[in-house]
Amino acid sequence: MEPYRNFIDGKWTPSKASRTVPNVNPANTGDVIGQVPMSSVEECRAAIASAERALPAWRATPAPQRGRIIDKARIILQRRKQEIAEALTREEGKLVHESLGEVQKASNVLEFMSGEAIRLSGETLPSELGHTFCYTIRQPIGVVAAITPWNFPVCIPAWKIAPALATGCTVVFKPATLTPHTAMQLVQVFEEAGVPAGALNLIYGSGGEIGNELVRHPAVRAVSFTGSNEVGMGLYRLGAEQGKKIQCEMGGKNPVVVLEDADFDLAVEGVAQGAFSSTGQRCTATSRVVIIDTVADAFVAKLVERSRKIRPGSEMGPSVDASQLDTVMTAVQKAREEGAKCILGGERERSGPLEKGFFFPPTIFDHVKPTMNLAQEEVFGPVLAILRVKSFEEAMEVANGVRYGLTSSIYANDPGRIFRFVEGIETGITHVNSPTMGGEPQLPFGGVKQTGLGSREMGRTAIDFYSELKTVYVDYTGQKRATNIY
Ligand code: NAP
């Protein structure tokens, strides 16, 4: 089986790497999809050099023309939607309808970002001096690196690559080693759309080696990273030492607060979807329910009944690999040791064909205390913690009592408490009477506290990261005069 090829200088180039890592279907470990080359640092440097060479022409390409290429990529992505979704399911494990949703979202990102190329704008502002025209222009920052995780391997690269290209940056894309196939397909889409040679490069390899080189290399001006806190924090430190612009979107421990006056059926559905769709492997997955004690028994009974119907294999995919499954099982074991009560799931699924995959059922722990590991640390699997509280004020304290701050939700009907929640919850995104997950491309996406460092992704604000503002003063008096005294 020929290993995946890097894409450098507009050519699909075989890596010289002697080491490869198999791309394995997590629902059926006997199905090996491809081999991922562990490219060398020299090959990574070649990808960076290619992006450097392509930069002058790409940044000089009129922005509307860049936007049209991104729009063409959207059309091609739509044409290949089914094929890419099937490949995504095969290598990452999510259900086909979830994969189709992801590819559609990537398409929406391209739609929005193609328009952003046309809207790249600065400001005009009045000057203290007469006859002086002051304005700002937005210019591309240069060569950028996109380092991405496996859990949304089409959409997350799309929401980094598209705004970078729209702004006039050139890109080196390093995908997660677990999801190389969809990375290749996404780059093919941009290639077919007419992104010129070198403007987008793809390099496969180990995060430690290739990722590290992308952060260290002087020609890379900015790094956009999505992934774990462990890796992101190290990368942020290293980038800061090099004087780089760094954007890190990392883990979450997203709470849903359920108050006494909530519509329980709505809340149960929202929590079940938020916790267990995509196998809980979403950065926006619901991992905690914070509920008023007096109504908790009734809510929990309904939630268990609903979640029991989600069958691994048909209604829920597997964990992405053995290591992720191990993380889930370790968290479950620890929760038991700490005294939380497992009321659903909790044991690996091995029946029939599930034996061949990394399947774990929807799992719910009740009576979880805020200090327990399950209440504090991201599991990234189908494991939900129920925390019971006495009041709205305690619910806020518990919901905010973690180091993460990506997304949150409240199920309630009293507008006063809903608005107090929206004001006080420490997350970058929040929902009212809807699940914690998701995000639309026209709106900013990202977290606070230790979830997000650097500026937000998606929305108009995404362009800020990939651009520099230049401030221009034009004196049109035509006379010698004292310049600005400030
Ligand atoms: P990860 O292990 O941190 O890997 C992310 C990417 O970083 C991969 O491409 C990885 O390459 C690379 N990498 C690994 N070590 C590196 C290093 N030392 N320097 C530079 N790059 C390095 O994360 P993951 O397991 O793929 O993704 C799951 C995590 O992502 C979860 O914590 C989840 O919450 C988070 N996430 C956050 C968001 C958000 O927007 N907040 C969205 C999605 C996911 P290899 O694959 O080769 O190791």
Side-chain angles (χ1 to χ4, degrees), residues 371-437:
T371 50
M372 288 180 184
N373 190 67
L374 194 61
Q376 291 292 324
E377 293 307 323
E378 184 182 52
V379 178
F380 226 51
V383 185
L384 179 69
I386 312 277
L387 295 101
R388 296 169 176 239
V389 292
K390 296 218 158 17
S391 63
F392 171 71
E393 287 70 24
E394 190 187 349
M396 291 301 292
E397 200 178 308
V398 168
N400 284 334
V402 294
R403 66 185 169 123
Y404 301 106
L406 183 57
T407 179
S408 56
S409 173
I410 185 168
Y411 283 86
N413 275 304
D414 165 21
R417 291 194 298 181
I418 290 174
F419 278 97
R420 278 166 66 199
F421 172 84
V422 167
E423 196 173 284
I425 193 72
E426 295 166 356
T427 57
I429 307 162
T430 196
H431 297 256
V432 177
N433 291 324
S434 62
T436 52
M437 59 198 185

Side-chain angles (χ1 to χ4, degrees), residues 289-303:
V289 169
V290 183
I291 184 161
I292 304 292
D293 198 21
T294 50
V295 293
D297 285 345
F299 175 84
V300 166
K302 276 190 174 204
L303 181 64

Side-chain angles (χ1 to χ4, degrees), residues 4 12 173 179-189 202 204:
Y4 293 102
W12 292 96
F173 166 34
T179 48
H181 200 90
T182 43
M184 172 190 76
Q185 290 173 317
L186 183 67
V187 171
Q188 285 171 344
V189 163
L202 166 65
Y204 292 108

Side-chain angles (χ1 to χ4, degrees), residues 109 113 144-149 154-167 169 171 173 186 190 223-227 247-249 457-458 462 465-466:
V109 167
M113 290 302 168
V144 301
I147 303 179
T148 56
V154 179
C155 199
I156 293 178
W159 85 47
K160 296 180 189 302
I161 292 168
L165 291 176
T167 313
C169 296
V171 183
F173 166 34
L186 183 67
F190 281 109
V223 180
S224 180
F225 167 87
T226 300
Q247 177 179 58
C248 291
E249 282 301 333
E457 302 201 78
M458 296 207 278
F465 181 73
Y466 298 100

Side-chain angles (χ1 to χ4, degrees), residues 76-291:
I76 296 161
L77 190 64
Q78 281 294 338
R79 194 190 74 218
R80 294 185 62 180
K81 187 173 175 183
Q82 187 69 31
E83 171 212 345
I84 294 176
E86 282 168 16
L88 171 50
T89 291
R90 194 171 165 207
E91 73 176 357
E92 198 268 351
K94 63 183 69 171
L95 302 174
V96 174
H97 77 86
E98 292 171 335
S99 296
L100 284 166
E102 177 173 344
V103 179
Q104 181 57 47
K105 180 162 167 187
S107 167
N108 295 351
V109 167
L110 300 186
E111 178 183 42
F112 179 76
M113 290 302 168
S114 65
E116 279 308 279
I118 301 168
R119 290 186 291 267
L120 284 178
S121 59
E123 294 179 291
T124 61
L125 293 157
S127 168
E128 288 283 349
L129 303 164
H131 299 296
T132 301
F133 176 40
C134 301
Y135 66 103
T136 61
I137 50 174
R138 210 172 262 286
Q139 297 184 308
I141 191 164
V143 174
V144 301
I147 303 179
T148 56
W150 49 263
N151 70 323
F152 279 90
V154 179
C155 199
I156 293 178
W159 85 47
K160 296 180 189 302
I161 292 168
L165 291 176
T167 313
C169 296
T170 55
V171 183
V172 180
F173 166 34
K174 192 262 172 264
T177 298
L178 285 170
T179 48
H181 200 90
T182 43
M184 172 190 76
Q185 290 173 317
L186 183 67
V187 171
Q188 285 171 344
V189 163
F190 281 109
E191 179 192 16
E192 190 185 335
V195 171
L200 173 60
N201 303 273
L202 166 65
I203 180 95
Y204 292 108
S206 124
E209 280 180 40
I210 299 301
N212 205 50
E213 179 61 17
L214 288 170
V215 184
R216 281 186 185 281
H217 197 290
V220 177
R221 297 287 310 282
V223 180
S224 180
F225 167 87
T226 300
S228 63
N229 280 66
E230 197 189 358
V231 172
M233 295 304 274
L235 189 145
Y236 197 77
R237 265 191 298 274
L238 184 63
E241 276 167 24
Q242 318 284 318
K244 298 257 162 94
K245 202 169 177 185
I246 306 281
Q247 177 179 58
C248 291
E249 282 301 333
M250 301 173 285
K253 193 72 200 170
N254 310 307
V256 168
V257 168
V258 183
L259 300 184
E260 305 91 323
D261 63 342
D263 175 335
F264 277 10
D265 289 338
L266 189 70
V268 162
E269 193 53 37
V271 168
Q273 277 182 26
F276 304 124
S277 66
S278 302
T279 323
Q281 297 179 133
R282 287 171 179 258
C283 54
T284 55
T286 304
S287 54
R288 296 180 291 152
V289 169
V290 183
I291 184 161

